[in-house]
Amino acid sequence: MNRAVFFIVLLCLFSCKQENDDTSSVLNTDDVLLVIPQGFPEMIFPEGNELTTERWTLGKKLFFEKRLSINNSISCGSCHKPSLAFGDSLAFSPGVFNRPGTRNSPSLANVGYHPYLLKEGSVPTLEMQVLVPIQEHNEFNHNIVDIANELKLDSNYSTMSRLAYNRTLDPFVITRAISNFQRSLVSGNSRFDKYQYQGRTTALSVEERLGMNLFFSKKTNCSSCHGGFNFTNYSFENNGLDSIYVDNGRQRFTNNPADKALFKVPSLRNVGLTAPYMHNGSLSSLSAVVEHYNSGGKNHSNKSALVRPLNLNESEKAELLAFLHSLTDFDFVNDQKWNEKD
């Protein structure tokens, strides 16, 4: 489908209290579905798609539903695995009929906080984003109207849709329910968080604290792009990964040569679990990522001025790596409420 036509279709389709404790805010439904960690802003749910148990449960079921794909072979959860912070371990996750993916699958942890989606930032809401993998040839290669027509014949889905949105299961319900579930994927209880926000001074080792200081220092400038509670400023940058790019990045959306090979800065939360790295999965390990930035990367006309040789010694590289691993939230990835079978 022509990309411009696709986004016109998107726009047409989409025209259609918290309790506080010492460390977090909890949104209570019948079960605790969303905990806002200390230091995090409120999660905003759009009007008409507020979090409820019924919507969350339907969204979770749809997230793991393989009938969203044309040959019933993959679901959202096939490329966004809970045990990997809702990311994948492959450079490119295969789509239907084992078609090769075109970009590395990002983690969905804290995706509800992102101001725009996809690596070129071309989709403004999670509700709209749900349609992208559904219609993409190398992903689900399906039609959401056909999906809705099939699933609404399932009595279980029909009942769940009525309970969640008081309407027959349709494209509106599918996109809202999945995005409702995705907004609950909040991760903020790593050892770094326990040290930084919860006052647990022993949560980080000496090496990890040295790495943290290095991360936030002017020597590395890591936090210039990977700052804030979600370790990203959501900007679009070229980090010198290559001199020539097959993927045009943000230019794919804007058609502006100044945006060539610029990609949205990813969150570093749970980064120790989400190898391989970069938009094309070309760096196999976190240590390779540190080495890339330490080298200053390759030359490119749109390369960020912040990416330059860091001249870190072996001890400093080890400290930085240790800190990055402290951003893993094991409570999040091991939470049984993500279990597909439940």
Side-chain angles (χ1 to χ4, degrees):
M1 179 185 296
N2 178 277
R3 184 165 292 271
V5 172
F6 172 62
F7 283 106
I8 291 172
V9 172
L10 280 179
L11 292 174
C12 291
L13 175 61
F14 286 92
S15 62
C16 313
K17 291 281 187 193
Q18 295 180 344
E19 297 179 3
N20 296 320
D21 61 22
D22 291 338
T23 62
S24 62
S25 297
V26 179
L27 184 71
N28 288 300
T29 55
D30 294 344
D31 301 304
V32 176
L33 301 180
L34 175 61
V35 177
I36 304 298
Q38 187 174 11
F40 279 46
E42 177 187 1
M43 176 62 70
I44 304 299
F45 285 77
E47 184 177 356
N49 200 23
E50 296 83 2
L51 180 64
T52 68
T53 299
E54 294 77 16
R55 291 170 180 173
W56 185 93
T57 303
L58 175 58
K60 176 186 172 184
K61 184 174 177 63
L62 287 166
F63 186 86
F64 292 107
E65 176 58 73
K66 292 186 177 180
R67 282 179 285 180
L68 295 185
S69 61
I70 190 67
N71 64 347
N72 302 336
S73 63
I74 59 173
S75 68
C76 303
S78 299
C79 304
H80 300 284
K81 300 174 174 65
S83 62
L84 299 176
F86 289 87
D88 203 358
S89 58
L90 303 174
F92 299 112
S93 306
V96 296
F97 308 112
N98 208 35
R99 290 171 183 162
T102 57
R103 284 177 172 174
N104 184 251
S105 295
S107 166
L108 297 183
N110 301 326
V111 70
Y113 289 110
H114 289 227
Y116 26 73
L117 291 308
L118 305 189
K119 288 180 169 61
E120 72 268 15
S122 58
V123 178
T125 69
L126 276 172
E127 284 77 8
M128 289 184 177
Q129 190 279 331
V130 170
L131 293 174
V132 175
I134 286 176
Q135 63 86 39
E136 284 288 345
H137 177 78
N138 283 37
E139 294 187 61
F140 292 178
N141 193 37
H142 212 344
N143 182 298
I144 195 168
V145 175
D146 293 339
I147 294 168
N149 287 338
E150 177 183 358
L151 294 184
K152 71 181 180 182
L153 299 177
D154 183 319
S155 60
N156 191 20
Y157 271 120
S158 181
T159 298
M160 294 176 75
S161 180
R162 286 290 181 188
L163 289 172
Y165 292 97
N166 194 31
R167 60 191 287 162
T168 301
L169 191 139
D170 59 10
F172 178 98
V173 170
I174 293 172
T175 57
R176 265 59 181 186
I178 294 176
S179 58
N180 195 275
F181 170 71
Q182 288 179 319
R183 287 189 176 92
S184 76
L185 306 180
V186 174
S187 173
N189 197 34
S190 66
R191 286 186 297 105
F192 163 79
D193 295 298
K194 292 171 183 176
Y195 177 87
Q196 183 71 13
Y197 298 117
Q198 300 173 26
R200 304 186 191 182
T201 56
T202 59
L204 294 182
S205 68
V206 172
E207 184 180 43
E208 289 164 344
R209 292 198 301 271
L210 289 171
M212 179 181 69
N213 293 336
L214 193 58
F215 182 91
F216 290 104
S217 72
K218 291 183 179 179
K219 180 172 183 176
T220 66
N221 278 320
C222 298
S223 59
S224 295
C225 294
H226 295 286
F229 75 97
N230 206 20
F231 285 85
T232 174
N233 61 3
Y234 311 104
S235 64
F236 301 94
E237 305 289 350
N238 179 286
N239 67 355
L241 182 64
D242 288 303
S243 298
I244 299 174
Y245 288 74
V246 175
D247 190 328
N248 284 338
R250 186 160 171 79
Q251 186 186 24
R252 177 179 172 187
F253 172 55
T254 66
N255 290 321
N256 185 346
D259 290 331
K260 183 176 178 63
L262 301 188
F263 298 89
K264 188 175 75 169
V265 173
S267 170
L268 294 186
R269 286 193 168 274
N270 300 293
V271 69
L273 301 177
T274 59
Y277 303 98
M278 305 299 161
H279 70 278
N280 58 3
S282 60
L283 297 184
S284 62
S285 68
L286 201 50
S287 59
V289 174
V290 171
E291 289 291 351
H292 164 73
Y293 284 108
N294 194 46
S295 74
K298 299 176 182 177
N299 292 326
H300 188 273
S301 57
N302 289 336
K303 178 180 166 183
S304 170
L306 293 171
V307 181
R308 50 177 174 68
L310 301 179
N311 300 312
L312 302 179
N313 60 39
E314 293 303 315
S315 294
E316 289 172 319
K317 286 187 285 186
E319 291 160 3
L320 189 56
L321 191 62
F323 171 67
L324 292 172
H325 280 291
S326 80
L327 302 180
T328 301
D329 180 354
F330 290 104
D331 291 336
F332 174 71
V333 298
N334 293 322
D335 195 326
Q336 291 305 299
K337 69 172 175 281
W338 314 134
N339 192 323
E340 179 180 356
K341 304 300 182 184
D342 294 341

Short mmCIF file of all heavy atoms in Angstrom, two decimals, residues 61-76 96 130 133-135 140-144 147-148 150-151 157 174 178:
data_model
loop_
_atom_site.label_atom_id
_atom_site.label_comp_id
_atom_site.label_asym_id
_atom_site.label_seq_id
_atom_site.Cartn_x
_atom_site.Cartn_y
_atom_site.Cartn_z
N LYS A 61 -5.12 -10.72 25.27
CA LYS A 61 -5.50 -11.88 24.45
C LYS A 61 -5.21 -11.59 22.97
O LYS A 61 -4.67 -12.45 22.26
CB LYS A 61 -6.97 -12.21 24.65
CG LYS A 61 -7.46 -13.45 23.91
CD LYS A 61 -8.89 -13.78 24.28
CE LYS A 61 -9.43 -14.97 23.49
NZ LYS A 61 -8.67 -16.22 23.78
N LEU A 62 -5.53 -10.40 22.53
CA LEU A 62 -5.26 -10.02 21.14
C LEU A 62 -3.77 -9.90 20.87
O LEU A 62 -3.30 -10.19 19.76
CB LEU A 62 -5.97 -8.71 20.80
CG LEU A 62 -7.49 -8.80 20.66
CD1 LEU A 62 -8.10 -7.40 20.67
CD2 LEU A 62 -7.87 -9.53 19.37
N PHE A 63 -3.00 -9.44 21.85
CA PHE A 63 -1.55 -9.29 21.70
C PHE A 63 -0.91 -10.64 21.36
O PHE A 63 0.07 -10.69 20.60
CB PHE A 63 -0.96 -8.72 22.99
CG PHE A 63 0.50 -8.38 22.91
CD1 PHE A 63 0.93 -7.15 22.44
CD2 PHE A 63 1.47 -9.30 23.33
CE1 PHE A 63 2.28 -6.83 22.38
CE2 PHE A 63 2.82 -8.99 23.27
CZ PHE A 63 3.23 -7.75 22.79
N PHE A 64 -1.45 -11.71 21.92
CA PHE A 64 -0.89 -13.04 21.68
C PHE A 64 -1.71 -13.84 20.66
O PHE A 64 -1.50 -15.05 20.53
CB PHE A 64 -0.80 -13.82 23.00
CG PHE A 64 0.22 -13.27 23.96
CD1 PHE A 64 -0.17 -12.59 25.11
CD2 PHE A 64 1.58 -13.42 23.72
CE1 PHE A 64 0.76 -12.09 26.00
CE2 PHE A 64 2.52 -12.93 24.61
CZ PHE A 64 2.12 -12.25 25.75
N GLU A 65 -2.60 -13.17 19.94
CA GLU A 65 -3.48 -13.84 18.99
C GLU A 65 -2.82 -13.99 17.62
O GLU A 65 -2.55 -13.00 16.94
CB GLU A 65 -4.80 -13.05 18.86
CG GLU A 65 -5.77 -13.59 17.83
CD GLU A 65 -6.17 -15.02 18.10
OE1 GLU A 65 -6.95 -15.25 19.05
OE2 GLU A 65 -5.68 -15.90 17.35
N LYS A 66 -2.58 -15.23 17.20
CA LYS A 66 -1.92 -15.46 15.93
C LYS A 66 -2.84 -15.27 14.73
O LYS A 66 -2.36 -15.17 13.59
CB LYS A 66 -1.30 -16.86 15.91
CG LYS A 66 -0.13 -16.99 16.88
CD LYS A 66 0.58 -18.34 16.77
CE LYS A 66 1.78 -18.38 17.70
NZ LYS A 66 2.51 -19.68 17.62
N ARG A 67 -4.14 -15.18 14.97
CA ARG A 67 -5.05 -14.93 13.87
C ARG A 67 -4.97 -13.50 13.35
O ARG A 67 -5.60 -13.16 12.35
CB ARG A 67 -6.48 -15.28 14.27
CG ARG A 67 -6.77 -16.77 14.26
CD ARG A 67 -8.19 -17.09 14.69
NE ARG A 67 -8.37 -16.96 16.12
CZ ARG A 67 -9.53 -17.19 16.75
NH1 ARG A 67 -10.60 -17.56 16.05
NH2 ARG A 67 -9.62 -17.07 18.07
N LEU A 68 -4.15 -12.68 13.99
CA LEU A 68 -3.90 -11.34 13.45
C LEU A 68 -3.03 -11.42 12.20
O LEU A 68 -2.99 -10.47 11.41
CB LEU A 68 -3.21 -10.46 14.49
CG LEU A 68 -3.98 -10.11 15.76
CD1 LEU A 68 -3.18 -9.12 16.60
CD2 LEU A 68 -5.35 -9.55 15.46
N SER A 69 -2.33 -12.54 12.02
CA SER A 69 -1.48 -12.70 10.83
C SER A 69 -2.22 -13.52 9.78
O SER A 69 -3.08 -14.34 10.09
CB SER A 69 -0.16 -13.39 11.21
OG SER A 69 -0.39 -14.67 11.76
N ILE A 70 -1.87 -13.30 8.52
CA ILE A 70 -2.62 -13.85 7.39
C ILE A 70 -2.64 -15.38 7.39
O ILE A 70 -3.61 -16.00 6.96
CB ILE A 70 -2.07 -13.32 6.04
CG1 ILE A 70 -3.01 -13.69 4.87
CG2 ILE A 70 -0.66 -13.83 5.79
CD1 ILE A 70 -4.34 -13.02 4.92
N ASN A 71 -1.57 -16.02 7.92
CA ASN A 71 -1.52 -17.49 7.93
C ASN A 71 -1.55 -18.06 9.35
O ASN A 71 -1.17 -19.22 9.56
CB ASN A 71 -0.29 -17.98 7.17
CG ASN A 71 1.02 -17.55 7.84
OD1 ASN A 71 1.01 -16.70 8.73
ND2 ASN A 71 2.14 -18.14 7.42
N ASN A 72 -2.00 -17.24 10.30
CA ASN A 72 -2.15 -17.69 11.69
C ASN A 72 -0.85 -18.20 12.29
O ASN A 72 -0.85 -19.12 13.11
CB ASN A 72 -3.22 -18.78 11.81
CG ASN A 72 -4.57 -18.35 11.31
OD1 ASN A 72 -4.87 -17.16 11.28
ND2 ASN A 72 -5.39 -19.31 10.89
N SER A 73 0.28 -17.60 11.90
CA SER A 73 1.58 -18.12 12.34
C SER A 73 2.25 -17.28 13.42
O SER A 73 3.06 -17.81 14.19
CB SER A 73 2.53 -18.24 11.14
OG SER A 73 2.78 -16.96 10.58
N ILE A 74 1.97 -15.98 13.48
CA ILE A 74 2.66 -15.12 14.45
C ILE A 74 1.68 -14.13 15.07
O ILE A 74 0.62 -13.83 14.51
CB ILE A 74 3.83 -14.34 13.80
CG1 ILE A 74 3.33 -13.45 12.66
CG2 ILE A 74 4.92 -15.29 13.34
CD1 ILE A 74 4.40 -12.52 12.10
N SER A 75 2.06 -13.65 16.23
CA SER A 75 1.30 -12.63 16.95
C SER A 75 2.23 -11.49 17.31
O SER A 75 3.44 -11.54 17.04
CB SER A 75 0.71 -13.23 18.23
OG SER A 75 1.75 -13.53 19.16
N CYS A 76 1.69 -10.46 17.95
CA CYS A 76 2.55 -9.38 18.46
C CYS A 76 3.60 -9.96 19.40
O CYS A 76 4.76 -9.55 19.40
CB CYS A 76 1.72 -8.35 19.21
SG CYS A 76 0.37 -7.60 18.28
N VAL A 96 5.23 -13.44 8.44
CA VAL A 96 4.49 -14.58 7.89
C VAL A 96 5.27 -15.21 6.75
O VAL A 96 6.05 -14.54 6.06
CB VAL A 96 3.09 -14.14 7.41
CG1 VAL A 96 2.24 -13.65 8.58
CG2 VAL A 96 3.18 -13.06 6.34
N VAL A 130 -0.85 -0.02 16.01
CA VAL A 130 -1.31 -1.41 15.93
C VAL A 130 -1.53 -1.83 14.48
O VAL A 130 -1.28 -2.97 14.10
CB VAL A 130 -2.61 -1.58 16.75
CG1 VAL A 130 -3.24 -2.94 16.49
CG2 VAL A 130 -2.33 -1.40 18.24
N PRO A 133 2.06 -3.26 11.88
CA PRO A 133 2.49 -4.65 11.62
C PRO A 133 1.40 -5.49 10.96
O PRO A 133 1.71 -6.43 10.22
CB PRO A 133 2.83 -5.18 13.02
CG PRO A 133 2.08 -4.30 13.95
CD PRO A 133 2.05 -2.95 13.32
N ILE A 134 0.13 -5.14 11.21
CA ILE A 134 -0.96 -5.91 10.61
C ILE A 134 -0.92 -5.83 9.09
O ILE A 134 -1.05 -6.83 8.38
CB ILE A 134 -2.32 -5.45 11.15
CG1 ILE A 134 -2.51 -5.94 12.59
CG2 ILE A 134 -3.47 -5.95 10.27
CD1 ILE A 134 -3.78 -5.45 13.26
N GLN A 135 -0.67 -4.64 8.54
CA GLN A 135 -0.74 -4.48 7.09
C GLN A 135 0.60 -4.66 6.37
O GLN A 135 0.63 -4.82 5.16
CB GLN A 135 -1.34 -3.11 6.74
CG GLN A 135 -0.52 -1.90 7.22
CD GLN A 135 0.56 -1.46 6.26
OE1 GLN A 135 0.35 -1.48 5.05
NE2 GLN A 135 1.70 -1.06 6.80
N PHE A 140 2.55 -9.10 9.36
CA PHE A 140 1.33 -9.91 9.41
C PHE A 140 0.65 -10.03 8.04
O PHE A 140 -0.10 -10.97 7.82
CB PHE A 140 0.33 -9.32 10.40
CG PHE A 140 0.75 -9.39 11.85
CD1 PHE A 140 -0.06 -8.86 12.84
CD2 PHE A 140 1.94 -9.99 12.23
CE1 PHE A 140 0.31 -8.92 14.18
CE2 PHE A 140 2.32 -10.06 13.56
CZ PHE A 140 1.51 -9.52 14.54
N ASN A 141 0.86 -9.04 7.17
CA ASN A 141 0.32 -9.07 5.81
C ASN A 141 -1.19 -9.35 5.79
O ASN A 141 -1.69 -10.15 5.00
CB ASN A 141 1.06 -10.11 4.96
CG ASN A 141 0.76 -9.96 3.48
OD1 ASN A 141 0.62 -8.85 2.98
ND2 ASN A 141 0.63 -11.07 2.78
N HIS A 142 -1.92 -8.67 6.68
CA HIS A 142 -3.34 -8.95 6.82
C HIS A 142 -4.14 -7.65 6.73
O HIS A 142 -3.58 -6.56 6.59
CB HIS A 142 -3.60 -9.67 8.15
CG HIS A 142 -4.73 -10.63 8.12
ND1 HIS A 142 -5.69 -10.66 7.14
CD2 HIS A 142 -5.07 -11.64 9.00
CE1 HIS A 142 -6.56 -11.62 7.39
NE2 HIS A 142 -6.20 -12.24 8.51
N ASN A 143 -5.44 -7.79 6.81
CA ASN A 143 -6.37 -6.65 6.75
C ASN A 143 -7.19 -6.65 8.03
O ASN A 143 -7.83 -7.65 8.37
CB ASN A 143 -7.28 -6.80 5.53
CG ASN A 143 -8.23 -5.64 5.36
OD1 ASN A 143 -9.06 -5.38 6.22
ND2 ASN A 143 -8.12 -4.94 4.25
N ILE A 144 -7.18 -5.53 8.75
CA ILE A 144 -7.83 -5.51 10.06
C ILE A 144 -9.34 -5.70 9.98
O ILE A 144 -9.96 -6.24 10.90
CB ILE A 144 -7.48 -4.21 10.83
CG1 ILE A 144 -7.84 -4.36 12.30
CG2 ILE A 144 -8.15 -3.00 10.18
CD1 ILE A 144 -7.30 -3.28 13.20
N ILE A 147 -9.76 -9.39 9.80
CA ILE A 147 -9.46 -9.95 11.12
C ILE A 147 -10.66 -9.79 12.04
O ILE A 147 -11.08 -10.74 12.72
CB ILE A 147 -8.23 -9.27 11.74
CG1 ILE A 147 -6.97 -9.60 10.93
CG2 ILE A 147 -8.04 -9.70 13.19
CD1 ILE A 147 -5.77 -8.75 11.31
N ALA A 148 -11.23 -8.60 12.07
CA ALA A 148 -12.38 -8.34 12.93
C ALA A 148 -13.57 -9.22 12.54
O ALA A 148 -14.27 -9.76 13.42
CB ALA A 148 -12.76 -6.86 12.85
N GLU A 150 -13.49 -12.12 11.26
CA GLU A 150 -13.25 -13.49 11.71
C GLU A 150 -13.39 -13.63 13.22
O GLU A 150 -14.08 -14.52 13.72
CB GLU A 150 -11.86 -13.95 11.28
CG GLU A 150 -11.50 -15.35 11.78
CD GLU A 150 -10.09 -15.79 11.43
OE1 GLU A 150 -9.37 -15.02 10.76
OE2 GLU A 150 -9.71 -16.90 11.84
N LEU A 151 -12.75 -12.73 13.95
CA LEU A 151 -12.72 -12.87 15.40
C LEU A 151 -14.07 -12.62 16.06
O LEU A 151 -14.37 -13.19 17.11
CB LEU A 151 -11.67 -11.93 16.00
CG LEU A 151 -10.21 -12.23 15.65
CD1 LEU A 151 -9.28 -11.28 16.40
CD2 LEU A 151 -9.84 -13.68 15.96
N TYR A 157 -14.47 -13.89 22.10
CA TYR A 157 -14.10 -12.52 21.73
C TYR A 157 -15.32 -11.61 21.70
O TYR A 157 -15.25 -10.44 22.09
CB TYR A 157 -13.41 -12.52 20.36
CG TYR A 157 -11.91 -12.69 20.43
CD1 TYR A 157 -11.28 -13.75 19.80
CD2 TYR A 157 -11.11 -11.78 21.13
CE1 TYR A 157 -9.90 -13.91 19.85
CE2 TYR A 157 -9.74 -11.93 21.20
CZ TYR A 157 -9.13 -12.99 20.56
OH TYR A 157 -7.77 -13.14 20.63
N ILE A 174 -10.17 -3.66 18.34
CA ILE A 174 -8.86 -4.33 18.26
C ILE A 174 -7.73 -3.35 18.54
O ILE A 174 -6.83 -3.62 19.35
CB ILE A 174 -8.68 -4.99 16.88
CG1 ILE A 174 -9.67 -6.15 16.71
CG2 ILE A 174 -7.24 -5.50 16.71
CD1 ILE A 174 -9.69 -6.72 15.31
N ILE A 178 -5.51 -3.55 22.23
CA ILE A 178 -4.07 -3.86 22.22
C ILE A 178 -3.28 -2.69 22.78
O ILE A 178 -2.35 -2.88 23.58
CB ILE A 178 -3.60 -4.23 20.80
CG1 ILE A 178 -4.24 -5.55 20.35
CG2 ILE A 178 -2.07 -4.35 20.75
CD1 ILE A 178 -3.90 -5.95 18.93
#
